[in-house]
Amino acid sequence: MNIAYIITCIAVMALVTYIPRALPLVVFRKKIENNFIRSFLAYVPYAVLAAMTLPDVFYSTDYVFSAVLGFIAALVLAYFEKSLLTVAVGAVVTVFVSEYIAKIIM
Amino acid sequence: MSASKHKSQHTLKLFFKGMRDTLPICLGYIPISFAFGMMAKDMGFNVWTAVLISLTNFTSAGQLAGTAIMAASGGYLEIAVTTFVINIRYMLMSLSLSQKIEEKMPALHRAVLSFGITDEIFAVASQSDGKVSSPYFAGLIIPAYLSWCLSTLFGATAASLLPQSLCSAFGIAIYGMFLAIIIPPAKKVTPILMTVIISAAMSCIFRYTPVLNMLSFGWVVIICAVVASALAALRFPVSNEE
């Protein structure tokens, strides 16, 4: 991978991240009237995060079994509406402990 | 006391109020951005590339996806479209905040501060009492931004120092945060639950079906999100009053 490619990619990422953040706040002050677009935009974040999480979460650690346990822990903590920090740390601790126990047993 | 001195004290007060309100976000960003730094390092990028990404992007899902595509030597269009689609949600947040911030806020302040609209900053800003002023907004953003960038630095640096078992465990942190964002609303709002299920199911189908699994991660996220959101929008339009 060369530097020019990396820098260009980062610049592209930064630009397309900044534009949606800035455009409405700076320019657009009127309410969107098209209800389909409003509805579509309202669902987009959840759809994106769901597609990014599954099935990738199962391969996010060294072993699928620990990732599945971590996923379950995160699911339960999120269900009880724990903070982002608590859910993230809970998943991490579950993975760490389950891998540690597995190594002792095996 | 002169009027200008009084005004600057008021500005400072608002700034510090923002700093106080953003503390949970700062803490929450540590493991997530730390994990991003480690993942970027794992994907073969050096420390400063990882930090540069956090400094210029300041977003979790978008920069992770972009970095993953970069690691796979993806094309510029793929990176642009993927990152943009993931960040489309910021348009809605930015639009919503445009009704929440002080009307007199100058265009330059808007242009600079909008860089700091993340899911979490948006959540705190939109829940705050009254209108959001420039100093308050800046107070929310600056500590969170520092936390984000420094945590990436520490994550990318520590990747070679930390034991492998810890690196493995941190890999799941960012997904834990995603679940913490999507599960509580999915629990309460059926259309959101449906959107999440459709999108996740489609993503799994793309991953495990021969031929379909040749499609890159970026396009899979785009297709799943657009289809699931469009179906939900057709079936469950959100009411115009909100």
Side-chain angles (χ1 to χ4, degrees):
Chain A
M1 239 178 297
N2 64 66
I3 301 240
Y5 172 73
I6 292 175
I7 297 293
T8 311
C9 286
I10 295 176
V12 166
M13 283 159 64
L15 199 67
V16 296
T17 305
Y18 176 69
I19 288 170
R21 285 171 166 168
L23 212 57
L25 202 66
V26 176
V27 181
F28 194 78
R29 304 194 187 184
K30 262 173 61 186
K31 188 179 167 187
I32 292 178
E33 295 298 341
N34 184 310
N35 204 39
F36 175 76
I37 296 175
R38 279 170 51 82
S39 307
F40 176 80
L41 289 175
Y43 292 121
V44 157
Y46 305 106
V48 166
L49 294 181
M52 285 192 66
T53 303
L54 288 161
D56 292 74
V57 60
F58 300 125
Y59 311 106
S60 62
T61 68
D62 284 351
Y63 308 95
V64 173
F65 86 90
S66 63
V68 170
L69 291 175
F71 173 70
I72 293 169
L75 219 51
V76 171
L77 290 169
Y79 185 84
F80 289 106
E81 302 187 23
K82 300 299 174 194
S83 68
L84 301 190
L85 179 65
T86 310
V87 177
V89 171
V92 167
V93 170
T94 305
V95 170
F96 186 80
V97 171
S98 64
E99 287 184 5
Y100 187 78
I101 292 172
K103 271 166 200 158
I104 291 173
I105 296 172
M106 289 189 282
Chain B
M1 193 188 295
S2 71
S4 69
K5 191 177 173 198
H6 184 77
K7 189 167 173 282
S8 71
Q9 274 185 350
H10 184 59
T11 300
L12 265 182
K13 229 179 93 184
L14 286 168
F15 182 74
F16 284 125
K17 184 178 183 320
M19 287 183 81
R20 208 168 43 242
D21 289 352
T22 206
L23 199 65
I25 302 180
C26 293
L27 291 176
Y29 280 172
I30 292 172
I32 294 149
S33 185
F34 194 90
F36 170 76
M38 284 173 55
M39 288 163 90
K41 196 79 191 301
D42 256 9
M43 292 176 191
F45 297 101
N46 66 37
V47 174
W48 299 110
T49 305
V51 172
L52 185 63
I53 293 170
S54 280
L55 278 169
T56 54
N57 281 255
F58 189 34
T59 182
S60 58
Q63 75 180 52
L64 177 65
T67 307
I69 297 169
M70 219 197 306
S73 300
Y76 297 130
L77 182 68
E78 188 185 353
I79 288 186
V81 174
T82 306
T83 315
F84 181 72
V85 166
I86 290 172
N87 292 329
I88 275 180
R89 69 184 191 281
Y90 290 137
M91 278 195 156
L92 206 67
M93 295 180 191
S94 176
L95 189 65
S96 162
L97 281 178
S98 73
Q99 314 297 313
K100 179 77 178 168
I101 61 172
E102 288 179 343
E103 278 170 42
K104 63 174 168 56
M105 191 187 287
L108 183 66
H109 289 199
R110 290 171 183 252
V112 173
L113 293 171
S114 59
F115 172 78
I117 300 173
T118 65
D119 298 335
E120 297 77 19
I121 299 283
F122 165 74
V124 173
S126 49
Q127 283 164 13
S128 67
D129 299 330
K131 292 282 185 182
V132 170
S133 64
S134 298
Y136 177 72
F137 209 0
L140 283 183
I141 292 166
I142 291 168
Y145 181 60
L146 289 176
S147 164
W148 184 256
C149 297
L150 284 174
S151 300
T152 298
L153 174 64
F154 291 136
T157 315
S160 44
L161 304 173
L162 287 178
Q164 180 56 31
S165 55
L166 213 54
C167 294
S168 168
F170 266 107
I172 205 168
I174 214 151
Y175 298 102
M177 186 194 75
F178 292 165
L179 289 168
I181 293 174
I182 57 179
I183 298 297
K187 188 176 90 177
K188 288 174 217 146
V189 186
T190 311
I192 293 178
L193 179 65
M194 281 199 46
T195 309
V196 165
I197 290 173
I198 292 170
S199 186
M202 282 181 67
S203 173
C204 290
I205 290 169
F206 273 109
R207 176 67 58 92
Y208 299 118
T209 311
V211 183
L212 285 183
N213 62 14
M214 287 158 66
L215 206 61
S216 71
F217 170 78
W219 294 112
V220 170
V221 170
I222 294 167
I223 293 167
C224 297
V226 167
V227 171
S229 305
L231 285 175
L234 286 171
R235 181 78 180 74
F236 307 102
V238 292
S239 63
N240 239 328
E241 292 80 58
E242 282 171 52

